[in-house]
């Protein structure tokens, strides 16, 4: 199964995905983690474009949409291989939903984002870690372009708009690390029968 953790910067995705992998392994699953942007050369290029001195203007957002989509495809072969086994699980920190929510600007049609991400794999379950943008910014280093409360306020709203699909679950990420992990485990037990 392919499980995705989503949410704005600092919402706890990386912390929670590592704990979740460990828990799944303890339950006998062959669980591994994936992270976007990846460690590929495209991921490295993206990291350069996310530096604070870079712009979030429309052209850059269009360019990032394409780079993120290409970077995502670097994971596809490995993901397909892993997912071909019944006991294997992948927990991913971000997915194409990040593009849908972060690259959502007036100059980009949402359908275009879906189109350029057409060949990336779709998840079995997506969990959105919902957190107030001020709280999330206070948890970040503040060294990347999107780590800005105003931008993340809009992005958070975009995430909440996704929650009418039954495979996309929003959870409250404002509790302690242990509390949030417990909520995520309960969602998996309920939704995936794990
Ligand atoms: P993300 O991957 O969503 O950016 P991280 O897991 O890297 O978030 O967490 C960002 C920072 O916040 C880290 O320093 C982490 O230790 C801290 N953190 C994560 N979850 C919590 C939590 N529930 N309460 C307080 N701090 C947290
Ligand atoms: P990440 O390192 O996951 O940030 P964080 O750990 O703070 O949540 O991602 C880097 C930045 O890239 C983050 O601001 C979100 C952004 N991003 C997009 O804008 N679109 C995308 O498709 C992805 C995968 C990430």
């Amino acid at each position: 199964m392919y499980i995705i953790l989503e949410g704005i910067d600092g919402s706890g995705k990386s912390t929670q995905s590592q704990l979740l992998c460990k828990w799944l392994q303890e339950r006998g699953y062959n669980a591994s983690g994936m992270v976007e942007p990846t460690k590929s050369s495209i991921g490295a290029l993206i990291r350069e474009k996310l530096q604070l001195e870079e712009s979030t203007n429309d052209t850059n957002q269009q360019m990032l949409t394409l780079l993120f989509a290409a970077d995502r495809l670097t994971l596809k072969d490995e993901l397909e291989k892993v997912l071909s086994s019944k006991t294997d699980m992948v927990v991913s920190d971000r997915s194409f939903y990040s593009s849908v929510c972060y690259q959502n600007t007036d100059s980009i049609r949402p359908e275009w984002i879906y189109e350029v991400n057409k060949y990336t794999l779709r998840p079995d379950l997506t969990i959105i870690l919902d957190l107030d943008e001020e709280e999330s910014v206070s948890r970040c280093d503040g060294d990347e372009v999107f780590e800005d409360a105003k931008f993340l306020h809009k992005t958070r709203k975009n995430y909440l708009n996704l929650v009418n699909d039954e495979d996309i679950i929003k959870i409250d990420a404002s509790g302690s690390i242990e509390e949030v992990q417990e909520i995520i485990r309960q969602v998996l037990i309920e939704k995936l029968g794990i």
Side-chain angles (χ1 to χ4, degrees):
M1 286 199 188
Y2 179 29
I3 300 160
I4 288 170
L5 298 189
E6 277 287 354
I8 58 175
D9 292 57
S11 55
K13 299 174 299 298
S14 137
T15 307
Q16 295 300 334
S17 58
Q18 285 165 29
L19 291 172
L20 188 60
C21 265
K22 246 172 102 186
W23 179 70
L24 288 167
Q25 285 160 3
E26 283 160 16
R27 290 178 81 101
Y29 292 98
N30 190 15
S32 55
M34 278 187 181
V35 182
E36 295 183 23
T38 71
K39 288 190 161 37
S40 73
S41 52
I42 305 172
L45 185 57
I46 289 173
R47 292 271 173 215
E48 278 178 34
K49 298 284 166 208
L50 292 175
Q51 292 311 299
L52 210 52
E53 62 274 14
E54 292 288 336
S55 163
T56 55
N57 70 18
D58 287 349
T59 312
N60 261 7
Q61 282 283 49
Q62 290 160 3
M63 185 176 60
L64 279 172
T65 301
L66 296 171
L67 288 175
F68 280 122
D71 186 41
R72 203 158 281 136
L73 286 171
T74 67
L75 296 172
K76 189 176 175 181
D77 285 354
E78 192 192 336
L79 196 53
E80 274 179 337
K81 207 164 86 194
V82 175
L83 295 176
S84 62
S85 157
K86 275 209 164 111
T87 54
D88 284 5
M89 296 254 185
V90 172
V91 177
S92 181
D93 174 348
R94 295 198 180 278
S95 69
F96 75 101
Y97 286 125
S98 288
S99 279
V100 170
C101 296
Y102 278 76
Q103 275 66 60
N104 177 328
T105 72
D106 288 345
S107 73
I108 298 179
R109 282 183 300 110
E111 307 84 64
W112 182 66
I113 299 181
Y114 281 97
E115 184 64 23
V116 296
N117 282 284
K118 190 171 173 176
Y119 301 113
T120 59
L121 299 183
R122 294 301 183 253
D124 295 289
L125 181 67
T126 302
I127 300 177
I128 298 173
L129 308 193
D130 182 47
L131 187 67
D132 175 77
E133 58 278 3
E134 302 286 350
E135 173 71 23
S136 83
V137 165
S138 76
R139 292 185 188 174
C140 293
D141 302 335
D143 57 354
E144 287 185 350
V145 275
F146 297 134
E147 294 176 359
D148 166 76
K150 199 166 154 220
F151 182 87
L152 292 178
H153 174 75
K154 196 188 89 178
T155 308
R156 181 185 181 199
K157 273 194 176 165
N158 295 336
Y159 274 118
L160 298 181
N161 282 337
L162 292 176
V163 188
N164 39 29
D165 185 316
E166 64 170 31
D167 297 330
I168 305 180
I169 310 290
K170 178 199 85 162
I171 66 155
D172 177 5
S174 65
S176 69
I177 290 175
E178 295 73 25
E179 283 167 347
V180 176
Q181 178 63 200
E182 188 51 36
I183 300 173
I184 294 175
R185 290 176 187 179
Q186 287 309 319
V187 170
L188 258 69
I189 290 168
E190 194 183 307
K191 284 278 170 188
L192 303 178
I194 281 170

